[in-house]
Amino acid sequence: MNSLSSDPFVRNEREEKIAERSDRLAAVFAGRAAVHDRDGSFPFENFDDLREAGYLALTLPEEFGGEEASLYEMLLAQERLAKGDGSTALAVGWHVSQVLQMRIKQSWPPKLYEDFCRSVAEKGAMINQFASEPTTGSPSRGGRPQTAATKTEGGYVLTGRKTFSSLIPVLDQFTVTAFVEDEERIGTFFVRKGPGVGIDETWDTLGMRGTGSHDLLLDGVFVPEEARIDSCEGVPNGGAETSDHGGALLHIPACYLGIAWAARDFAVKFAADYRPSSLPGPIAELPHIRQKIGEMEQERITARTLLYSVADRWDRLPGERASMKPELGLAKTVATNAAIRIVDLAMRIVGGSSLSRSLPLERMYRDVRAGLHNPPMDDSVMAMLAQRAIQDAENRS
């Protein structure tokens, strides 16, 4: 059975090919996931496979050799990839989403942008943006970075520490936010690994152990003037007038729904195959097991329907993106909480053996918990929804 007939969210042959590639990669990654989780090691071989498969150019513009995937297509690819290894999917998701944002905003100096795009297409280069810090927390909360950028001849000198630096073991370049002291504002800088750039291997967590999200250290790192992204010549306001308004962040809920999908598949197969001696048939025939399977499907279908409908609207109606922030946040909140519920139900179906490290469910249970701490946070989403509801009521009065 092909993807077009088995998944109602795969709408055409192009999407089918994108989905099938992720399915093939996920099957390979699934065989490595337990080892990397146990060791807390970075899956370099997975990224070799992604590079060879052309996945890293998924959202790159066609003019530079990329596939120019839409947001919807990116989510299809990411959700399926996460069925094999959530850590790998989340980590590469930061790259493909960053490339999508860059394509929309066009905020980079043209020559720098072209060079980077060609390095992705020809060499499989990757990127991520690092903004979180130990003392300021999530950048979504609006904290001022402690990382400092000091103006010097020909550019800037950056000093500071960034946390949650996913992908850093495999990156040769990245962007960082820093407070520009001379200007009293936050700037964004393109940094290449070199003198003054270090990694403090701090990542040892409950879940998503293979994302390589160690601390990035910047000690007097020189960045040329032309590598400042937020204020470049020829791009008004550094491209600030054009934004994806958070759309690319939907790679996060897609990842967690992919993990939950894998947990659901495992539990349903287990229920169909497991025949304890006390029963005449498999446990899938028991009413309370069927109830749990139905609840998993309810959560999964609801979350996926919201996620893909929001992504489709975002793709089709660029002019409405600014007003869609509450829906984008809601899609993330619904998906991540649904993923937690689905994996919990899967473990209840499988029973005590689901706690065993020889089975994948305990890893999936730990991994989906991480979604609660990815942006936007649940409380921020509820605040946005409440504010819009209040404004709507005021406008009608």
Side-chain angles (χ1 to χ4, degrees):
M1 185 178 291
N2 61 37
S3 299
L4 280 173
S5 58
S6 64
D7 185 353
F9 296 101
V10 175
R11 304 169 298 184
N12 53 55
E13 290 185 2
R14 173 180 161 92
E15 292 175 0
E16 182 178 23
K17 290 179 181 178
I18 288 172
E20 288 177 345
R21 177 177 59 190
S22 286
D23 286 340
R24 291 193 300 270
L25 289 165
V28 176
F29 297 168
R32 303 166 179 162
V35 172
H36 287 297
D37 174 74
R38 188 179 295 268
D39 297 342
S41 53
F42 188 80
F44 289 99
E45 66 274 38
N46 288 357
F47 286 85
D48 289 339
D49 291 339
L50 288 164
R51 185 175 291 107
E52 184 176 346
Y55 192 94
L56 302 180
L58 175 67
T59 52
L60 199 70
E62 288 182 349
E63 66 177 300
F64 298 117
E67 297 178 22
E68 202 163 325
S70 66
L71 176 61
Y72 190 105
E73 291 168 339
M74 183 184 79
L75 302 187
L76 281 176
Q78 284 293 117
E79 185 188 20
R80 281 173 162 72
L81 204 65
K83 291 176 69 178
D85 183 359
S87 287
T88 295
L90 186 64
V92 77
W94 292 112
H95 161 73
V96 293
S97 65
Q98 278 289 115
V99 174
L100 176 62
Q101 288 176 310
M102 291 161 61
R103 194 178 86 208
I104 293 165
K105 291 185 69 173
Q106 291 294 307
S107 61
W108 283 40
K111 180 65 166 60
L112 184 64
Y113 178 65
E114 179 178 349
D115 289 346
F116 172 74
C117 287
R118 295 199 184 282
S119 71
V120 174
E122 297 169 8
K123 302 176 183 178
M126 288 184 289
I127 198 165
N128 196 2
Q129 177 162 307
F130 303 132
S132 297
E133 297 186 355
T135 57
T136 58
S138 171
S140 65
R141 301 289 189 184
R144 187 186 114 174
Q146 296 299 300
T147 299
T150 304
K151 192 76 174 71
T152 189
E153 184 178 354
Y156 301 84
V157 174
L158 273 57
T159 299
R161 175 187 286 259
K162 297 293 185 181
T163 57
F164 299 105
S165 304
S166 300
L167 278 179
I168 194 60
V170 76
L171 294 182
D172 292 323
Q173 63 274 307
F174 43 85
T175 59
V176 299
T177 56
F179 190 73
V180 186
E181 297 171 341
D182 295 347
E183 303 171 9
E184 289 291 307
R185 71 184 182 102
I186 298 172
T188 303
F189 302 85
F190 177 73
V191 181
R192 293 182 174 88
K193 276 186 179 175
V197 175
I199 300 174
D200 185 3
E201 296 191 357
T202 54
W203 192 246
D204 186 12
T205 56
L206 176 74
M208 289 295 184
R209 290 173 53 77
T211 60
S213 304
H214 304 296
D215 285 9
L216 168 67
L217 306 179
L218 303 168
D219 184 10
V221 177
F222 176 74
V223 178
E225 180 76 46
E226 60 270 20
R228 182 169 176 181
I229 305 304
D230 66 301
S231 180
C232 57
E233 186 176 348
V235 182
N237 299 318
E241 75 287 349
T242 305
S243 171
D244 80 327
H245 297 285
L249 286 178
L250 288 187
H251 82 90
I252 296 169
C255 173
Y256 292 107
L257 283 178
I259 298 169
W261 188 348
R264 168 261 203 184
D265 285 355
F266 184 91
V268 171
K269 185 176 188 307
F270 180 92
D273 294 343
Y274 183 48
R275 297 169 176 261
S277 58
S278 57
L279 295 176
I283 63 170
E285 297 176 357
L286 297 174
H288 75 279
I289 295 296
R290 296 179 76 86
Q291 172 72 19
K292 290 180 176 62
I293 293 173
E295 290 175 11
M296 285 197 300
E297 289 301 273
Q298 174 182 273
E299 295 281 357
R300 195 174 77 93
I301 293 170
T302 299
R304 294 189 82 214
T305 299
L306 176 60
L307 179 68
Y308 285 107
S309 66
V310 170
D312 176 65
R313 182 179 160 202
W314 187 95
D315 283 332
R316 290 186 295 103
L317 304 171
E320 293 189 9
R321 289 173 185 171
S323 66
M324 288 181 64
K325 290 193 76 172
E327 281 88 355
L328 293 166
L330 181 62
K332 185 267 178 179
T333 294
V334 168
T336 50
N337 284 280
I340 292 171
R341 176 68 173 148
I342 291 166
V343 180
D344 178 72
L345 286 163
M347 295 184 78
R348 291 171 186 263
I349 291 168
V350 174
S353 61
S354 67
L355 299 173
S356 172
R357 298 192 75 175
S358 65
L359 300 183
L361 288 180
E362 62 86 27
R363 181 183 77 251
M364 295 170 181
Y365 182 82
R366 289 183 285 106
D367 281 350
V368 292
R369 297 292 306 180
L372 297 175
H373 307 287
N374 289 133
M377 312 308 179
D378 289 5
D379 63 313
S380 296
V381 174
M382 294 305 108
M384 280 194 294
L385 292 170
Q387 180 63 28
R388 188 167 70 176
I390 292 168
Q391 288 178 343
D392 286 347
E394 291 175 346
N395 291 337
R396 289 195 300 271
S397 63

